[in-house]
């Protein structure tokens, strides 16, 4: 009943809730009659009324130091995620994880070692791209075929940036590489669009594969994860991780720390990973994917070897840029401190 209630609540949110983007800071301008040649860092902040603050700055005007005060708007608080709106932030665990959802299981036998709200479907952001990669690889499409970025690949939902300009051409292999390693949205979009039957057929293939893998809480609407309607539970994503791990190219592309890829005009482009843990000598990571949109929070799915045991980790709806990897670190220390015989059964869920 708890799962049905939360699922119904989230479905209602998808239909009606609009998540506002954080406000940006605004600053005042120096008086026009002065010629300002240099600004220095603010040296003091004074409190102001109703979300405003006054910043004291030391600047140079015509070569002379001058103190000015600027009134700026305070940054708006972060918008709540879908997990917050569903009440998942009230779930506490002894590791003090910053993720509203967490799951760790033994890759060899699927034994659940730790879980927190792991059966709740939430937006998964760019973790979507791992299913995109699985569909491309299993379809055995020509990896050397050159694909073009078109206006259809431009993000008009989140207005995210991309280094791939309209007209950029590169092989399907390179598109897949930077989609998994660098979470390139236009590359992921182009991969879906260049599937037999186009993007609608690709999304249907994604959902069909989810059903085949038993991912009963999962639904996809695009190939890049920009829509909040791409949802899954942590338990479902663990199934996806285990299936994707069987594909060597997905393991390689998702765990490369950096790579240089070439466009059709021969111009090399350097890309890096979105997960700094893959370059750390302290970690042995065999597959990974990160994700973020406002509705989903920070997300992470990965396979790693800890104390000789292969595990799947999933963290959803984490708060803070480094919180998802910090949660992975906390979980690793917890696993290392336990004897193998004592592992298993640590379960935490929302009180809803």
């Amino acid at each position: 009943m708890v799962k049905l209630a939360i699922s119904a609540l989230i479905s209602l949110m998808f239909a009606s809730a609009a998540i506002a983007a954080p406000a940006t800071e605004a600053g005042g301008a120096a008086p026009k009659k002065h010629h300002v040649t240099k600004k220095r860092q603010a040296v003091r902040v004074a409190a102001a009324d109703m979300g405003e603050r006054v910043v004291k700055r030391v600047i140079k005007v015509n070569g002379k130091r001058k103190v000015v005060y600027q009134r700026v708007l305070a940054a708006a608080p972060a918008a709540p995620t879908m997990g917050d709106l569903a009440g998942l932030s009230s779930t506490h665990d002894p590791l003090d994880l910053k993720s509203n959802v967490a799951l760790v299981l033994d890759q060899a036998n699927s034994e659940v070692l730790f879980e927190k709200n792991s059966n709740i479907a939430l937006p998964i952001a760019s973790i979507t791209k791992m299913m995109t990669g699985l569909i491309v690889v299993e379809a055995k499409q020509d990896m050397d075929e050159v694909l073009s970025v078109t206006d259809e690949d431009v993000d008009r939902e989140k207005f995210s940036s991309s280094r791939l300009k309209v007209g950029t051409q590169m092989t399907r292999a390179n598109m897949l590489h930077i989609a998994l390693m660098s979470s390139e949205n236009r590359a992921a979009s182009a991969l879906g669009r260049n599937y037999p039957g186009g993007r609608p057929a690709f999304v249907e293939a994604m959902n069909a594969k989810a059903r085949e893998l038993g991912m009963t809480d999962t639904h996809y609407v695009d190939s890049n994860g920009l829509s909040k309607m791409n949802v899954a539970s942590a338990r479902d994503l663990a199934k996806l991780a285990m299936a994707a791990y069987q594909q060597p190219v997905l393991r390689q592309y998702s765990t490369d720390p950096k790579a240089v890829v070439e466009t059709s005009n021969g111009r090399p482009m350097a890309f890096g990973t979105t997960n700094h843990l893959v370059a750390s000598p302290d970690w042995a990571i065999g597959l990974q994917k990160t994700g973020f949109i406002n509705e989903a929070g920070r997300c992470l799915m990965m396979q790693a070897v800890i104390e000789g045991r292969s595990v799947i980790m999933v963290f959803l709806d984490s708060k803070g840029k480094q919180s998802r990897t910090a949660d992975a670190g906390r979980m690793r220390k917890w696993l290392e401190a336990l004897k193998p015989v004592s592992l298993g059964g640590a379960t935490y869920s929302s009180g809803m």
Side-chain angles (χ1 to χ4, degrees), residues 82-236:
M82 290 295 185
D84 292 335
L85 294 173
L88 301 187
S89 58
S90 64
T91 305
H92 301 291
D93 65 83
L95 301 186
D96 192 27
L97 298 178
K98 305 307 177 186
S99 304
N100 278 339
V101 172
L103 175 68
V104 180
L105 56 79
D106 190 312
Q107 187 178 7
N109 57 20
S110 298
E111 176 190 1
V112 174
L113 308 179
F114 184 100
E115 63 178 333
K116 174 183 175 182
N117 295 324
S118 64
N119 63 337
I120 306 300
L122 292 175
I124 58 174
S126 287
I127 289 182
T128 296
K129 294 182 177 75
M130 189 58 71
M131 178 62 87
T132 296
L134 186 59
I135 298 302
V136 170
V137 171
E138 290 194 345
K140 301 187 184 303
Q141 292 185 274
D142 182 3
M143 300 301 280
D144 293 323
E145 180 183 356
V146 175
L147 309 182
S148 298
V149 175
T150 73
D151 189 64
E152 293 182 63
D153 302 315
V154 175
D155 171 25
R156 292 184 172 83
E157 180 167 357
K158 304 294 186 191
F159 300 99
S160 59
S161 62
S162 173
R163 294 176 58 202
L164 302 184
K165 296 180 180 180
V166 172
T168 300
Q169 294 183 316
M170 63 176 62
T171 65
R172 178 176 278 107
N174 284 339
M175 290 280 195
L176 180 58
H177 197 168
I178 61 178
L180 293 176
M181 178 183 68
S182 303
S183 212
E184 227 312 325
N185 290 318
R186 292 184 185 179
S189 176
L191 289 170
R193 189 171 43 76
N194 284 277
Y195 185 81
R199 185 173 293 140
F202 190 86
V203 172
E204 175 52 37
M206 295 171 74
N207 286 308
K209 187 63 181 180
R211 291 191 295 270
E212 177 188 327
L213 294 175
M215 299 169 63
T216 55
D217 299 315
T218 298
H219 181 68
Y220 297 104
V221 300
D222 63 37
S223 59
N224 51 30
L226 288 169
S227 172
K228 66 183 180 182
M229 301 301 287
N230 291 288
V231 299
S233 65
R235 284 180 174 262
D236 279 4

